[in-house]
Amino acid sequence: MVSRVIPVEVFDLVVFGGTGDLARRKILPGLYRRFLSGQMPGDSRIIGAARAEHTDEEFRSLVKEAILEFVPENRQDQTAIADFMKRLHYVAIDAKGEGGWAKLKEVMRTDVVNAFYFSVAPSLFGDIALRLKQHGIADDNARIVVEKPFGRDLASAKALNATLAKHFNEGQIYRIDHYLGKETVQNLMAVRFANILFEPLWKSEYIDHVQITVAETVSVEGRGAYYDKSGAMRDMVQNHMMQLLCLIAMEPPYHFDPDAVRDEKLKVIRALDPVQPNDIVRGQYLSGGGQGGYVEHSENEQSKTESYIALKAHISNWRWKGTPFYLRTGKRLRARASEIAITFREPPHSIFDDAKGWRENVLVIRLQPDEGMNLMVMIKEPGPGGMRLAQVPLDMTFADALGPDAEDVPDAYERLIMDVIRGNQTLFMRGDEVEAAWAWTDPIIAGWEARGDKPQGYDPGSSGPEDALMLMHRDGRRWRDIR
Ligand code: BG6
């Protein structure tokens, strides 16, 4: 398989919060990897911007350290790192004051793509946007990238959208949900819309239910202050899981084009029914395995914040009426495993006597780790003994099927940043989409807050709270094992 690198134009990318955690872990190492793949043409530059005073040299050593820490060793090429360093610059900026803006204007070139990555708290979005405009640094062709969390409810998301809209038009705003940058997540669209095989069956008539699982082993240690205000619903469901649900449920867009795709996702979000209280289970991990529980990691000993959530969602439209979507996500679970499992209905009539071996077809799309797809199909069990049926997987592990190319799969962030430079918004969320997602989320949260619901404790290393099992069992279904 030949790798194809789509060229990008020369750019100046400013990373506000350029010395922060996300920049160090994801953005800057990701840009280095794109540089290695030849996607940083000519004299494209990255300009780190943050409050502290640093020289270019100091910023370069910070980025070098980040590369050595977060890029796999086999991708650390010393000559390339040295060349990459030459592309890095630094400007100290006071987001709420005037310091540094004149210098930034001086540094930026007007004849290349200008992009500004707001890797800062949302409370600074407005200040930065205003100053970029006031100082004539960003024109109508500039692109801005904003990070999650995009608000904490509908009202704050609307306010953020309104603030950004004062200075930039929607075509310039790139709202990142890094799940959309994951290779397998994009593969969902390829599987659905580049094959004739699945689409005719992709409806409630043939699909019994859908399970979306994003299981993590990590705790929230060190992020308690953020997580207490967020919880799994705001941190994972409103954005990442909602995006996965949309890609499974949406109608075929007329083209793989930003508004065509986002229009279809928006229709799904708007068709989501309110979630009934007994269709939600919230959990909080307990202490165990020598580690503290959620309350020890939180800033509040009485915290009722959920580190786990499972819920049943219904989409009220012709395609999905009658097919529940079960979503679950949590921290400190048995394994890191994210997957989407689509369980088909049984054939309407069996001609075989072997009812014992009868199982449904299941299409499993493994998002991470071990990206791939599995289609469970029924076959005849080999050997004598009559017509006995067995369920076997048609397994495709992308790393095996694609060979060495699969190892060079770009990280979600690097892929998305390159899309910003190319000016392609398909994998970014539009303002109305984010608002619609909050409009669905808000009443769910308001409901449990009004009832004073407490999350159910679960053991670390387990598959979540007991009640989550019941959510499926009472419908005669079961969760797939987290492995
Ligand atoms: C982030 C959340 O957006 O996504 C984290 O804030 C979560 O809590 C992370 O751990 C999961 O991302 P990934 O790419 O590791 O699945």
Side-chain angles (χ1 to χ4, degrees):
M1 190 165 192
V2 183
S3 37
R4 278 170 298 164
V5 173
I6 302 172
V8 292
E9 290 175 55
V10 177
F11 61 86
D12 277 350
L13 168 68
V14 179
V15 184
F16 292 106
T19 54
D21 195 52
L22 184 71
R24 272 175 28 76
R25 278 172 189 278
K26 296 284 183 187
I27 304 173
L28 295 161
L31 283 161
Y32 160 73
R33 284 176 49 122
R34 290 303 89 204
F35 174 76
L36 263 190
S37 320
Q39 277 188 304
M40 205 174 288
D43 54 352
S44 295
R45 299 178 313 173
I46 298 152
I47 298 140
R51 207 185 160 96
E53 292 288 343
H54 287 297
T55 60
D56 284 354
E57 281 315 317
E58 284 165 351
F59 181 58
R60 287 173 185 156
S61 15
L62 183 142
V63 177
K64 188 168 176 186
E65 271 168 36
I67 293 173
L68 298 181
E69 190 174 347
F70 297 111
V71 173
E73 259 176 47
N74 63 356
R75 310 278 296 162
Q76 294 178 14
D77 173 327
Q78 295 310 321
T79 320
I81 295 180
D83 281 349
F84 182 65
M85 292 297 121
K86 295 182 196 145
R87 312 295 188 95
L88 304 175
H89 302 270
Y90 184 82
V91 179
I93 282 280
D94 178 8
K96 287 190 172 288
E98 292 311 310
W101 295 98
K103 164 124 191 262
L104 184 60
K105 179 164 168 75
E106 213 177 282
V107 170
M108 298 297 288
R109 295 167 296 177
T110 48
D111 55 348
V112 300
V113 171
N114 281 186
F116 301 90
Y117 198 125
F118 292 20
S119 179
V120 295
S123 55
L124 295 177
F125 288 0
D127 294 306
I128 297 178
L130 171 73
R131 284 176 178 80
L132 282 175
K133 272 310 181 73
Q134 265 180 351
H135 290 268
I137 301 170
D139 64 13
D140 289 350
N141 296 316
R143 289 146 208 180
I144 63 162
V145 186
V146 291
E147 263 299 329
K148 124 178 204 293
F150 199 84
R152 65 180 320 272
D153 52 21
L154 178 58
S156 54
K158 276 187 167 169
L160 273 180
N161 275 334
T163 304
L164 294 178
K166 275 193 222 151
H167 310 289
F168 296 97
N169 62 53
E170 184 62 33
Q172 297 180 274
I173 305 172
Y174 291 72
R175 294 177 195 78
I176 282 207
D177 182 314
H178 80 278
Y179 265 57
L180 289 178
K182 287 183 191 274
E183 204 69 6
T184 354
V185 174
Q186 292 165 56
N187 227 330
L188 272 175
M189 282 185 280
V191 167
R192 284 196 62 196
F193 304 128
N195 296 288
I196 190 77
L197 214 56
F198 301 110
E199 201 51 26
L201 303 180
W202 213 258
K203 49 175 118 166
S204 59
E205 207 179 331
Y206 299 109
I207 295 183
D208 177 70
H209 74 279
V210 176
Q211 294 185 23
I212 306 179
T213 301
V214 178
E216 297 184 280
T217 50
V218 289
S219 71
V220 303
E221 196 169 7
R223 298 173 79 207
Y226 156 75
Y227 210 84
D228 271 344
K229 294 197 202 76
S230 158
M233 188 70 182
R234 290 188 172 97
D235 186 49
M236 298 294 289
V237 178
Q238 185 272 346
N239 36 73
H240 306 324
M241 300 195 77
M242 175 68 83
Q243 291 298 320
L244 298 178
L245 179 141
C246 284
L247 297 182
I248 302 164
M250 72 184 184
E251 296 300 313
Y254 70 88
H255 192 248
F256 190 57
D257 154 280
D259 279 331
V261 171
R262 296 184 299 176
D263 285 348
E264 296 307 337
K265 288 197 291 168
L266 180 62
K267 282 191 221 161
V268 173
I269 305 174
R270 290 192 172 148
L272 278 168
D273 286 346
V275 178
Q276 301 309 313
N278 59 352
D279 286 342
I280 306 169
V281 175
R282 294 165 68 234
Q284 198 181 68
Y285 62 83
L286 302 166
S287 58
Q291 290 192 39
Y294 182 85
V295 286
E296 280 96 50
H297 296 158
S298 144
E299 300 210 319
N300 170 7
E301 281 172 22
Q302 308 290 322
S303 175
K304 289 187 198 162
T305 303
E306 77 285 354
S307 60
Y308 174 101
I309 188 160
L311 61 84
K312 177 161 73 163
H314 290 281
I315 303 172
S316 274
N317 63 19
W318 274 39
R319 190 187 279 266
W320 294 116
K321 194 79 194 169
T323 295
F325 283 66
Y326 297 92
L327 275 50
R328 66 178 161 163
T329 183
K331 308 278 185 209
R332 286 286 264 143
L333 295 176
R334 181 175 300 147
R336 176 171 183 254
S338 301
E339 62 165 42
I340 295 165
I342 292 145
T343 301
F344 291 85
R345 295 191 193 279
E346 288 182 3
H349 166 70
S350 171
I351 63 168
F352 303 108
D353 294 332
D354 183 11
K356 259 194 340 301
W358 195 259
R359 300 280 289 277
E360 317 93 343
N361 296 123
V362 186
L363 174 66
V364 182
I365 300 164
R366 298 191 302 273
L367 303 179
Q368 60 190 29
D370 186 26
E371 290 98 336
M373 264 173 44
N374 232 324
L375 179 62
M376 305 303 290
V377 290
M378 299 305 297
I379 61 156
K380 176 191 173 299
E381 210 173 278
M387 192 62 167
R388 283 171 295 115
L389 301 175
Q391 193 189 41
V392 292
L394 288 180
D395 189 2
M396 189 171 83
T397 298
F398 294 151
D400 297 343
L402 302 177
D405 276 3
E407 284 177 20
D408 199 26
V409 164
D411 171 76
Y413 276 94
E414 39 182 294
R415 156 77 204 237
L416 293 174
I417 296 170
M418 286 301 121
D419 278 359
V420 173
I421 307 296
R422 288 192 197 98
N424 185 344
Q425 287 186 305
T426 311
L427 299 177
F428 294 84
M429 289 171 301
R430 213 168 49 191
D432 51 2
E433 208 183 320
V434 180
E435 289 182 14
W438 281 122
W440 177 76
T441 312
D442 276 4
I444 301 176
I445 297 175
W448 75 55
E449 282 178 355
R451 293 188 300 274
D453 289 355
K454 285 199 189 114
Q456 194 183 27
Y458 62 93
D459 288 325
S462 70
S463 52
E466 288 289 313
D467 285 357
L469 301 181
M470 289 313 297
L471 183 73
M472 291 286 259
H473 285 180
R474 60 170 207 241
D475 293 346
R477 300 182 176 111
R478 54 192 288 270
W479 292 108
R480 290 169 49 77
D481 286 343
I482 296 176
R483 273 184 289 199

